[in-house]
Amino acid sequence: MSPYLRPPIPLYGADFAADPQTVYAALRRYGQVAPVELAPGVGAYLVVGYRAALDLLHDTATWSKDSRVWQQSLPPDCPVLPMLMWRPNPLSNDGPAHQRYRQAIIDAFAMIEPHELRAGTARAADTLIRRFAATGSADLVADYARPVPLLLFNQLCGVPEEHHDRLVAPLAAMVEATSPDQANRAGADFLAYVTELVARKQRHRGPDLVSWLLDHPAGLSTEEVADQVLLTLAAGNEPTANLISNALSRMLSDDRYYSSLAGGALTAWDAVHDVLRNEPPMANFGAHFPRHAVDFHGVRIEAHELVLVSYAAANTTPDGLPPGPRTDGGAHLAWSAGPHACPVKNPALLIATTAIEQLTSQLCDLELTIPRNQLPWRPGPFHTALAHLPVTFTPVPPEPAPWPR
Ligand code: HEM
């Protein structure tokens, strides 16, 4: 890593989690590209300008997604490695290898009809609401937003519900990346879960994502299928959970939404889009490595150094607009851009809005127990993720319940 002109700013720890916008404001003082630390001793450049982000994301001749040279400089227990290490999947590859993996994932998701996805999400939502509806209180992160996509993905992969706890803890630990031990153990647990799942589907195919990947004309090997499932679960679950909980926290703390729960103005769709612009679930990602030394927006970056894109910082400063949260309907980078932009954007939007609508229609007087500006956020350089979302509501007795048995 080349020496920085100024000290890197940490993107880990409680201060960044509690107030990322202040950190982004400090980073913008460096220009479009700023030096950061992702974990103690792990440096990177972060693109914080909207124009520079688009320049990087569309320039595949200069920028590669292949992390193999970079990762050789890291100790094997580096806490951000599970998120950034090379794998045979679309995120880590360029050109035809990227396209082959990406197309297999796109085609597998295309097998799921939107009405089935909506029904599956509603089923997962009802299962969870039923567990806490009679109590009159819940933590909507732990009890709802995080398990909803997990239950759904378990359904979509043809996995029995009782296995879902083996998925949730390792996924969270990987994204938080706070200690090397925790991150590596989480990575190993997650891999073991997915390897078993693919081996089961190898023996017994079904109408599910894993079987469609196994039978895809790209001819993926068993290991390659495991890697695409691993990515789908990791890339799909955490950001979708964060999209749901961040949007719910907005709806429950802003009168314009609150009135809509009782038949008024703004909808779940509006809340989701507010989150995408102002608190994108993937806050800082888009790992790229220059194929050769470059001068990029005034910064000299050597070949194979790590450069990330701050979707969160870039979103709040599109060219010509003042910094800060936005309420306009303009473009944003929450799904990234260019050849590696999220390929599952529409299904993810459908899952998030269905999950929110299902909850707010069943429990229509949800109230936050603490103000939104005091809600705790989870540490970690990559995400914008609430730690808890405590609410109360009028308990709904098990009989008669508004949902089917
Ligand atoms: C059904 C849920 C989802 C699935 C299965 C999914 C899957 C994927 C996959 C496979 C990629 C890699 C694409 C490539 O490299 O060509 C990707 C990229 C991405 N996804 Fe999603 N995604 C989901 C939901 C979300 C959500 C809710 C967000 C946040 C708004 C999101 C944001 C992104 C971003 C920013 C990227 C670019 C990755 C990067 O920064 O390197 N995704 N997604």
Side-chain angles (χ1 to χ4, degrees):
M1 172 71 54
S2 61
Y4 298 118
L5 294 177
R6 283 186 264 182
I9 294 184
L11 293 191
Y12 52 89
D15 288 352
F16 174 66
D19 186 8
Q21 286 300 339
T22 296
V23 176
Y24 297 139
L27 290 167
R28 283 188 196 108
R29 289 201 279 275
Y30 287 66
Q32 297 257 317
V33 183
V36 292
E37 248 190 350
L38 303 179
V42 184
Y45 291 101
L46 188 70
V47 177
V48 292
Y50 193 81
R51 171 45 50 200
L54 286 179
D55 288 348
L56 181 145
L57 293 166
H58 287 285
D59 179 3
T60 53
T62 305
W63 300 97
S64 166
K65 297 283 290 172
D66 190 333
S67 56
R68 280 174 286 194
V69 175
W70 167 78
Q71 75 191 47
Q72 280 167 16
S73 64
L74 299 177
D77 63 353
C78 172
V80 293
L81 257 186
M83 284 291 283
L84 296 173
M85 70 196 289
W86 185 89
R87 288 197 184 277
N89 70 23
L91 264 188
S92 301
N93 285 278
D94 306 310
H98 165 243
Q99 193 49 37
R100 175 168 172 263
Y101 295 134
R102 183 176 167 95
Q103 198 59 49
I105 293 175
I106 289 175
D107 291 344
F109 269 89
M111 298 287 287
I112 309 166
E113 294 291 342
H115 70 270
E116 285 170 9
L117 195 61
R118 186 183 281 280
T121 308
R123 238 184 350 265
D126 285 349
T127 301
L128 295 165
I129 298 169
R130 219 178 281 139
R131 287 181 193 164
F132 60 74
T135 66
S137 67
D139 173 356
L140 291 182
V141 171
D143 298 332
Y144 193 70
R146 298 187 68 194
V148 155
L150 278 176
L151 283 191
L152 175 67
F153 281 123
N154 276 343
Q155 280 176 38
L156 297 178
C157 291
V159 175
E161 197 179 309
E162 60 270 18
H163 287 198
H164 105 244
D165 286 340
R166 284 192 52 206
L167 196 55
V168 65
L171 272 176
M174 264 173 70
V175 177
E176 277 164 22
T178 42
S179 87
D181 271 4
Q182 184 203 29
N184 285 305
R185 213 173 324 112
D189 289 351
F190 186 34
L191 184 65
Y193 176 89
V194 170
T195 308
E196 267 174 45
L197 168 59
V198 175
R200 254 199 326 275
K201 290 293 156 188
Q202 192 63 284
R203 295 190 297 272
H204 305 289
R205 297 283 209 280
D208 56 66
L209 284 174
V210 182
S211 301
W212 295 325
L213 285 169
L214 283 165
D215 292 333
H216 191 272
L220 303 177
S221 68
T222 310
E223 292 73 27
E224 285 178 316
V225 168
D227 267 287
Q228 308 326 302
V229 175
L230 205 80
L231 175 63
T232 302
L233 293 174
N237 188 69
E238 276 288 323
T240 307
N242 296 336
L243 188 54
I244 294 169
S245 53
N246 295 1
L248 277 168
S249 75
R250 281 180 173 258
M251 293 179 75
L252 300 178
S253 58
D254 181 335
D255 285 348
R256 292 171 309 157
Y257 292 108
Y258 189 79
S259 64
S260 79
L261 296 187
L266 295 178
T267 62
W269 179 263
D270 295 300
V272 161
H273 283 80
D274 256 2
V275 169
L276 293 173
R277 277 190 295 275
N278 295 306
E279 282 154 4
M282 290 304 299
N284 306 297
F285 210 49
H288 283 78
F289 308 85
R291 297 172 194 274
H292 46 78
V294 281
D295 285 311
F296 185 65
H297 288 266
V299 177
R300 172 82 177 173
I301 303 175
E302 300 301 331
H304 311 298
E305 286 190 317
L306 171 62
V307 181
L308 297 177
V309 178
S310 178
Y311 304 123
N315 272 4
T316 45
T317 54
D319 294 350
L321 286 181
R326 294 165 57 201
T327 52
D328 63 304
H332 60 74
L333 291 175
W335 307 103
S336 191
H340 290 269
C342 185
V344 190
K345 173 182 149 187
N346 289 333
L349 280 170
L350 184 63
I351 296 166
T353 47
T354 305
I356 294 169
E357 285 164 359
Q358 198 71 8
L359 178 79
T360 52
S361 62
Q362 315 262 13
L363 307 175
C364 53
D365 62 352
L366 290 163
E367 272 186 47
L368 286 181
T369 61
I370 47 177
R372 184 170 198 267
N373 61 10
Q374 289 172 25
L375 288 171
W377 295 85
R378 278 160 56 207
F382 305 117
H383 57 196
T384 322
L386 282 166
H388 302 285
L389 188 57
V391 292
T392 53
F393 50 88
T394 305
V396 179
E399 289 296 344
W403 41 75
R405 293 264 131 207

